[in-house]
Amino acid sequence: MQTNTLKTLSPATIFWEFTLLSVMGFGGVMPLAYHYIVERNKWLNDKEFVEILGVSQILPGGNIINLGVMLGWKFARLKGAIAAFLGLLLIPSFILFGCAFLYNRYSNNVIVNHAFIGMSAVAAGLILSTSIKLFMKQGNRIKAMIYISIIFTLLIIFHLHLSLILIILIPLTIIFNLIMNKKRGLNHGIK
């Protein structure tokens, strides 16, 4: 898949796209982010999206905000980063204040409670769908399954904190991949 060949995007374009993304992404923006960034706008390919998503997930703060700021910076530097940030937060903040007011007023209503249960199930399904879509595009699914199994075991069975898992696994995966690449004769510029 070819990505956008433009080296820059206007801050207005970045703001508008991230505003649309944030307003459409109730229950979680990440599944839509993949669609907007990779499939619709072709700003990144699958590999680039996964790399930026990975970095955004280990940084403090919201994943989508981190991803938006990094993309904004990539395409329009500081103005792009600010545009992505504001696009993601400006209108949704007003919507959130309105919803908080309404929820505070009607939170004891059974229909409202059931609606929130339904919305959470839809959000979980969207996240799972995006995860499966990204997994299916991985070049080495066996290696990805090994990493997923290790993370699942450490997180769910041994109840290790995600920060500790990252501290353990990041160096190990780097070393493992360097060894495997060296065996295959790939060095990617590393001496």
Side-chain angles (χ1 to χ4, degrees):
M1 174 184 295
Q2 289 290 344
T3 56
N4 191 330
T5 56
L6 298 174
K7 296 294 181 203
T8 61
L9 294 170
S10 73
T13 299
I14 293 168
F15 174 81
W16 177 246
E17 288 298 322
F18 278 102
T19 297
L20 287 175
L21 176 65
S22 67
V23 173
M24 305 270 291
F26 284 94
V29 178
M30 201 53 71
L32 282 175
Y34 175 83
H35 172 73
Y36 271 66
I37 294 166
V38 176
E39 295 172 346
R40 185 177 131 188
N41 293 320
K42 296 181 179 23
W43 291 349
L44 300 175
N45 62 34
D46 292 316
K47 184 177 186 289
E48 293 167 327
F49 181 82
V50 169
E51 288 171 356
I52 290 180
L53 176 61
V55 173
S56 72
Q57 289 178 327
I58 62 172
L59 293 173
N63 297 343
I64 190 62
I65 295 170
N66 293 341
L67 187 138
V69 168
M70 286 189 282
L71 275 180
W73 183 269
K74 175 182 174 105
F75 291 114
R77 296 294 186 220
L78 182 60
K79 289 179 182 178
I82 292 169
F85 181 81
L86 291 175
L88 284 166
L89 294 177
L90 194 61
I91 292 176
S93 295
F94 290 112
I95 294 171
L96 177 64
F97 293 138
C99 288
F101 172 77
L102 292 173
Y103 182 75
N104 189 38
R105 183 173 174 117
Y106 299 106
S107 63
N108 294 328
N109 186 312
V110 174
I111 295 172
V112 172
N113 287 321
H114 288 317
F116 275 102
I117 290 169
M119 284 186 261
S120 64
V122 169
L126 287 171
I127 291 168
L128 182 60
S129 168
T130 301
S131 300
I132 291 169
K133 191 182 291 187
L134 289 172
F135 174 77
M136 295 307 290
K137 294 186 179 189
Q138 290 296 308
N140 189 338
R141 291 187 196 143
I142 294 171
K143 185 168 65 171
M145 280 303 299
I146 291 169
Y147 292 152
I148 291 169
S149 300
I150 292 169
I151 293 167
F152 179 83
T153 302
L154 294 174
L155 190 63
I156 303 300
I157 296 174
F158 292 106
H159 303 287
L160 292 182
H161 193 275
L162 186 57
S163 300
L164 182 58
I165 294 171
L166 290 173
I167 290 169
I168 293 168
L169 286 183
I170 289 174
L172 291 177
T173 57
I174 290 171
I175 291 167
F176 175 76
N177 284 308
L178 286 173
I179 291 169
M180 294 308 291
N181 287 341
K182 189 171 184 178
K183 284 183 179 181
R184 286 189 223 125
L186 304 171
N187 67 7
H188 300 290
I190 301 171
K191 304 278 184 198

